[in-house]
């Protein structure tokens, strides 16, 4: 489990307040960046309603933001999400691409407000989320094998 430092939590909350109102744009920019980075990822979304997917992305980020004071509350949700992503063939390496695309998107939305402190806070939070999801996916894969 991770306990984020109080100043990191404050930074995440402050920056999320600036990001959240741009929800639809954030998701659209994020997925475009992800697909530009690795066009093969588009195949994972071939039959996906992207408007609904955009809402899911923003909802997942919001759920983590809501749980910052007790991250253990969101772990089961992230584990389930990780197992679900594994069913679609998402690999641990792809989590790095997602993290890069997400940070790039936040930088684009926040502009000058995307300081090194904000980048560090989101990098730490995303690394934790990605680890929880990828570990759950690997456990699910190993139990099937």
């Amino acid at each position: 489990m991770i306990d984020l430092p109080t100043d990191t939590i404050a930074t995440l909350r402050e920056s999320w307040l600036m990001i959240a109102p741009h929800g639809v744009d954030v998701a659209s920019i994020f997925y475009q960046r992800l697909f530009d980075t690795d066009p093969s990822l588009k195949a994972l979304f071939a039959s996906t309603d992207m408007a609904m997917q955009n809402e899911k992305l923003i909802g997942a980020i919001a759920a983590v933001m809501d749980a910052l004071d007790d991250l253990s509350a969101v772990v089961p949700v992230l584990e389930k999400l990780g197992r679900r992503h594994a069913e679609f063939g998402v690999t641990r390496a792809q989590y790095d691409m997602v993290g890069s695309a997400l940070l790039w998107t936040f930088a684009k939305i926040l502009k000058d407000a995307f300081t090194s402190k904000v980048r560090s806070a989101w990098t730490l939070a995303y690394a934790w989320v990605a680890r929880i999801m990828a570990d759950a996916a690997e456990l699910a894969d190993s139990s099937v094998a």
Side-chain angles (χ1 to χ4, degrees):
M1 184 47 56
I2 186 173
D3 288 321
L4 294 174
T6 305
D7 63 327
T8 299
I9 291 172
T11 299
L12 289 168
R13 284 190 173 131
E14 289 167 17
S15 59
W16 181 243
L17 288 174
M18 293 183 276
I19 295 167
H22 302 278
V24 173
D25 292 335
V26 168
S28 296
I29 292 167
F30 164 77
Y31 283 111
Q32 187 59 55
R33 178 65 175 186
L34 189 63
F35 300 152
D36 287 348
T37 301
D38 185 350
S40 72
L41 293 176
K42 255 187 170 171
L44 294 174
F45 297 88
S47 62
T48 301
D49 176 340
M50 288 309 290
M52 184 182 294
Q53 185 63 34
N54 290 350
E55 289 178 23
K56 287 180 181 180
L57 173 67
I58 297 305
I61 298 169
V64 173
M65 292 299 99
D66 290 344
L68 286 174
D69 291 320
D70 180 15
L71 289 170
S72 64
V74 77
V75 168
V77 173
L78 294 174
E79 289 174 336
K80 182 177 179 182
L81 195 56
R83 289 188 296 271
R84 183 87 171 121
H85 279 73
E87 291 173 11
F88 293 120
V90 175
T91 65
R92 188 176 282 272
Q94 289 168 330
Y95 283 95
D96 291 339
M97 282 188 276
V98 168
S100 293
L102 191 63
L103 291 173
W104 185 90
T105 300
F106 289 169
K108 189 166 181 70
I109 295 291
L110 293 174
K111 297 179 175 53
D112 290 342
F114 193 72
T115 63
S116 60
K117 182 178 178 181
V118 171
R119 175 180 285 283
S120 294
W122 281 102
T123 299
L124 180 63
Y126 178 76
W128 176 78
V129 167
R131 183 177 46 82
I132 297 295
M133 290 177 63
D135 287 353
E138 284 181 2
L139 282 174
D141 284 347
S142 68
S143 69
V144 172

